[in-house]
Amino acid sequence: MVTHVPAEAHGDECGALLSFLAEQRGGVRRAVLGLTEEQANSRPSASELSLGGLVKHLAEVEQGWVAIAKGEPRAVARDETNWHECFRLVDGETLEAQLAYWEKVAAETEAYVRSVPSLDDTFPLPDEPWFGQAERVSIRWLVLHLIRETARHAGHADIIRESLDGRTAFELVAEEQRMVVAS
């Protein structure tokens, strides 16, 4: 579900992009409010996706793209033998730990994007068949890509949550707002 990103929240293009990314992250985080580990790991829809798995996937993807932009290795190496593990919690992983990791990744993403001299600065895409030969993309492209990836999965998260217990994004926004007021 889309929430409002106030104009004064961002101030410039970089801030606007980061605010919209934060908004989409918030949609996924709201979708897991109040869930048990069992619920976070369940797959209540026709999809094989779980909410815990989506959180893990989004954290890994975001960290991986920022690492690529920095010219560093990804924190978690995935290949054709283990790529599917980024979509589910395994080996004692918990939703709480994945949310904390994603929060750390998000802070690192924001710090990195704000540190580059220009959103027009570029980096090479990985040497993968689905990317063009020696194609370079901008930091702007990176943030837009992260917004797109997160928004797509925020929609999945809405459907999964509603399939779990009938709670909609509107109800979860209201719950989150009540929690903020109470704290």
Side-chain angles (χ1 to χ4, degrees):
M1 176 192 153
V2 176
T3 54
H4 179 63
V5 177
E8 66 274 4
H10 48 75
D12 61 4
E13 182 185 13
C14 179
L17 291 170
L18 291 170
S19 293
F20 276 90
L21 178 56
E23 174 202 29
Q24 294 305 315
R25 286 188 203 110
V28 176
R29 282 196 301 271
R30 278 188 296 279
V32 301
L33 279 177
L35 293 182
T36 65
E37 287 297 326
E38 182 179 351
Q39 289 172 312
N41 285 302
S42 68
R43 300 183 316 241
S45 68
S47 170
E48 296 230 0
L49 296 174
S50 70
L51 289 169
L54 283 177
V55 170
K56 178 180 177 178
H57 171 70
L58 286 166
E60 282 189 20
V61 165
E62 186 169 331
Q63 186 283 328
W65 274 108
V66 172
I68 290 166
K70 292 176 168 181
E72 299 173 355
R74 297 174 187 170
V76 179
R78 298 278 180 211
D79 59 28
E80 63 278 350
T81 64
N82 69 353
W83 66 267
H84 59 283
E85 288 182 6
C86 80
F87 284 103
R88 64 177 188 248
L89 302 181
V90 296
D91 299 329
E93 294 173 332
T94 65
L95 176 61
E96 182 180 353
Q98 291 302 313
L99 286 167
Y101 177 64
W102 195 19
E103 187 174 327
K104 176 180 172 268
V105 167
E108 291 169 359
T109 298
E110 181 162 343
Y112 173 69
V113 171
R114 289 190 181 281
S115 76
V116 296
S118 170
L119 292 173
D120 294 324
D121 288 1
T122 64
F123 62 93
L125 287 175
D127 184 19
E128 304 287 351
W130 45 87
F131 296 124
Q133 281 233 338
E135 185 176 355
R136 294 184 70 83
V137 294
S138 67
I139 300 301
R140 180 182 296 102
W141 181 95
L142 166 69
V143 181
L144 289 168
H145 179 73
L146 291 174
I147 292 168
R148 177 180 65 180
E149 176 84 9
T150 307
R152 180 172 190 220
H153 291 310
H156 294 142
D158 285 344
I159 292 167
I160 295 168
R161 179 59 189 256
E162 195 168 349
S163 296
L164 267 173
D165 62 8
R167 301 212 41 214
T168 68
F170 292 103
E171 295 171 272
L172 295 167
V173 166
E175 180 178 332
E176 179 184 55
Q177 290 171 345
R178 283 191 301 275
M179 292 168 64
V180 168
V181 169
S183 60

